[in-house]
Amino acid sequence: MKLSLHEVAKVVEAQNSISEFEDVPLYQIEFDSRKIEKGDLFLPLKGVMDGHDYIEKAFENGAAATFSEKVIEGRPYVLVKDCLKAFQQLAHYYIEKMRLDVIAVTGSNGKTSTKDMIEAVLATTYKTYKTQGNYNNEIGLPYTIFHMPDDTEKIVLEMGQDHMGDIKLLSEIAEPHIAVVTLIGEAHLEFFGSREKIAEGKMQITEGMDSHGILLAPGDPIVDPYLPENQMVIRFGDQQEIYVKDIQENKNSLTFTTNVLDKAVTLPLSGKYNATNAMLAAYVGKLLAVAEEDIIEALENVQLTKNRTEWKVAANGADILSDVYNANPTAMRLILETFAQIDANKDGKKIAVLADMKELGPTSVDLHKQLITALNPDQIQDLIFYGDDIEGLAQLASQMYPIGKVYFFKKTDEIDQFDQMKQHLKEILGSHDQILLKGSNSMNLAQLVQDLV
């Protein structure tokens, strides 16, 4: 990190006299006092605990200075009204200081995979850094900016939203040169009320872009009212400016062609939606002058963030398709479509374990029920449902499936039948079977995957 203490104080307009402290280089910014190393700047945030209570611990671990909302005696510090806002203000300054291209990615589905693919493509030609894990919010995004290597030329930032205005804030911090909106689904519908509001929130990714910015947006008409007038807009999807076609899907790979590239691409991934994600990464690569052969090689060897769509092997030899990081109706439908179309193993059946999709608001039960059209006993033979809002879908499925092929296990504040579900699954899971697990992260299906493995 290329910042000094006096520089930081000037940028955030420190409310105390910083001249009494030596102007020293700062090596990193950390909000966890346990991660502080010699020469770092401590950021005391207020959450469940108040970071100000750990300022002295940060200095004991080697901090050179700290932000603070309180007067401190005898220690180098930068006094501000709001530590988080100062952190964000400093991140905005640092992006401008480093003079690098920012590629921002958001969307109800696919943003993490698309981020990973864009980074893989750009890394063939440039020093590239990306959002690590799910550090995509008002704390994680500036944290990512400060933790990029000093020689970074391109940075790929994932932007998440829980409430209206989240993306606007992140865009204004990062000032992206290229922005990608992968898809408008129903994620966080509880907080937005409608897909239209979700679209409005996602499209605020352009708020920090100047007139030279480029937006890649889906052909979905729901985004039309929110398209910017002063930036270049590229639409993607069927009958749009860029598109994919000729998709051939296998268990562990996906081959497709796109008008972005002259040759077909084979991804080491399943899921038709990944063809679109890869196309977007290829287009970003083209915009930034990456050679086509490098784009194709990067995509054909890409590795995605864990806990997205990932094949594993159970202890008994069964194939596990794990997609347990998060869930909404669009994502659930897409993964069910993928799972249904993959060839079954010889002498094996297909089992789907589907858990509650969270943050869908008052229409949650109905949104779960609508997934009945994605279920077919000829394609997926056994169904296990786990949760509360998903019970209505389980009841509909039991009317369509043979007796004994649909099971529902409850999870509420009072009742959790996780162990019963796990026992039942182990009883019916054969060594030649394929099993899909999909649900919101809070439903703890990742633990079930771990138990099976």
Side-chain angles (χ1 to χ4, degrees):
M1 185 177 74
K2 297 180 179 180
L3 288 171
S4 70
L5 178 57
H6 286 190
E7 184 181 11
V8 169
K10 182 179 179 181
V11 171
V12 302
E13 300 175 337
Q15 297 180 344
N16 62 323
S17 175
I18 199 73
S19 59
E20 62 183 295
F21 306 119
E22 182 183 358
D23 188 18
V24 296
L26 300 170
Y27 296 108
Q28 199 49 267
I29 300 178
E30 293 290 350
F31 55 81
D32 186 338
S33 61
R34 296 168 297 184
K35 293 183 178 181
I36 286 287
E37 296 181 359
K38 186 176 181 179
D40 288 351
L41 175 64
F42 181 53
L43 175 69
L45 296 176
K46 293 179 178 178
V48 176
M49 296 178 288
D50 187 346
H52 288 78
D53 296 336
Y54 297 86
I55 286 177
E56 194 56 38
K57 183 65 176 178
F59 278 111
E60 290 174 6
N61 289 342
T66 183
F67 278 115
S68 179
E69 296 170 14
K70 307 172 183 177
V71 174
I72 298 176
E73 299 294 338
R75 294 289 195 181
Y77 76 106
V78 179
L79 183 64
V80 294
K81 289 183 178 179
D82 187 310
C83 287
L84 177 57
K85 288 183 179 178
F87 184 48
Q88 295 164 349
Q89 183 180 357
L90 188 63
H92 174 75
Y93 165 80
Y94 196 59
I95 279 284
E96 292 186 332
K97 176 179 178 176
M98 296 300 287
R99 297 182 178 276
L100 73 168
D101 285 328
V102 177
I103 299 90
V105 183
T106 193
S108 300
N109 299 101
K111 58 181 175 290
T112 300
S113 298
T114 303
K115 171 205 70 180
D116 291 340
M117 293 181 187
I118 292 173
E119 188 273 339
V121 166
L122 297 183
T124 64
T125 309
Y126 306 100
K127 298 289 186 180
T128 308
Y129 192 66
K130 67 178 179 180
T131 299
Q132 304 296 301
N134 62 343
Y135 273 43
N136 62 8
N137 64 7
E138 73 279 7
I139 299 172
L141 183 135
Y143 186 87
T144 299
I145 290 171
F146 289 119
H147 282 71
M148 65 181 172
D150 290 346
D151 61 353
T152 300
E153 297 172 299
K154 316 288 181 187
I155 186 167
V156 188
L157 295 174
E158 181 178 326
M159 296 183 176
Q161 73 171 7
D162 290 330
H163 302 88
M164 185 65 73
D166 288 349
I167 300 291
K168 181 178 186 292
L169 170 66
L170 300 179
S171 179
E172 289 175 342
I173 292 172
E175 293 188 338
H177 298 75
I178 300 171
V180 179
V181 179
T182 61
L183 184 148
I184 305 299
E186 303 88 352
H188 309 301
L189 191 58
E190 177 180 2
F191 305 124
F192 287 86
S194 68
R195 280 188 74 234
E196 287 76 14
K197 283 294 183 182
I198 293 172
E200 180 182 353
K202 294 292 186 185
M203 295 298 285
Q204 289 181 346
I205 197 170
T206 64
E207 292 287 339
M209 295 170 64
D210 63 22
S211 59
H212 299 290
I214 302 172
L215 170 68
L216 277 62
D220 188 342
I222 202 167
V223 306
D224 290 354
Y226 312 110
L227 293 172
E229 297 180 356
N230 63 334
Q231 288 131 9
M232 180 186 294
V233 178
I234 305 297
R235 307 296 292 274
F236 62 87
D238 293 341
Q239 300 180 337
Q240 300 297 326
E241 293 170 79
I242 58 175
Y243 53 85
V244 296
K245 61 180 181 178
D246 304 327
I247 299 176
Q248 299 175 2
E249 189 170 18
N250 299 300
K251 175 184 170 185
N252 293 303
S253 65
L254 184 74
T255 300
F256 69 94
T257 59
T258 170
N259 64 329
V260 175
L261 300 169
D262 293 331
K263 297 180 180 179
V265 178
T266 298
L267 300 174
L269 313 163
S270 59
K272 288 183 178 180
Y273 45 87
N274 276 318
T276 298
N277 299 339
M279 174 197 66
L280 294 171
Y283 193 80
V284 171
K286 285 290 187 76
L287 287 174
L288 295 173
V290 179
E292 179 159 320
E293 57 267 27
D294 291 333
I295 292 173
I296 293 174
E297 182 178 359
L299 292 175
E300 292 191 337
N301 293 281
V302 71
Q303 294 185 348
L304 300 186
T305 300
K306 296 298 182 183
N307 279 343
R308 268 55 185 182
T309 308
E310 181 181 11
W311 282 101
K312 294 176 177 285
V313 179
N316 72 344
D319 293 321
I320 299 172
L321 182 55
S322 171
D323 193 351
V324 297
Y325 178 75
N326 225 328
N328 59 58
T330 303
M332 187 82 82
R333 189 175 295 277
L334 287 170
I335 195 63
L336 284 167
E337 177 184 307
T338 291
F339 187 59
Q341 293 180 1
I342 292 172
D343 290 337
N345 295 332
K346 184 179 179 182
D347 300 324
K349 61 183 178 295
K350 290 185 178 182
I351 304 169
V353 179
L354 307 178
D356 274 2
M357 302 174 287
K358 297 297 188 180
E359 298 179 358
L360 295 181
T363 61
S364 179
V365 172
D366 288 336
L367 287 170
H368 280 81
K369 287 181 179 179
Q370 290 172 17
L371 288 169
I372 191 64
T373 57
L375 300 173
N376 186 329
D378 294 330
Q379 297 172 323
I380 301 174
Q381 287 73 46
D382 285 80
L383 298 173
I384 296 174
F385 298 96
Y386 174 57
D388 188 8
D389 287 358
I390 206 167
E391 184 173 5
L393 176 60
Q395 292 172 351
L396 291 176
S398 66
Q399 299 171 22
M400 186 172 70
Y401 272 68
I403 295 175
K405 293 295 184 180
V406 177
Y407 282 82
F408 170 69
F409 296 91
K410 201 166 191 66
K411 176 178 170 58
T412 64
D413 292 339
E414 296 79 24
I415 301 171
D416 189 351
Q417 297 179 322
F418 182 90
D419 289 338
Q420 295 95 311
M421 173 182 64
K422 182 172 69 173
Q423 182 59 37
H424 172 72
L425 182 55
K426 288 186 174 182
E427 290 173 359
I428 68 169
L429 184 63
S431 59
H432 298 286
D433 291 346
Q434 295 172 337
I435 177 171
L436 163 69
L437 296 99
K438 178 69 174 174
S440 285
N441 191 39
S442 60
M443 296 304 293
N444 203 29
L445 290 188
Q447 181 61 52
L448 182 57
V449 172
Q450 184 176 333
D451 291 344
L452 291 174
V453 171

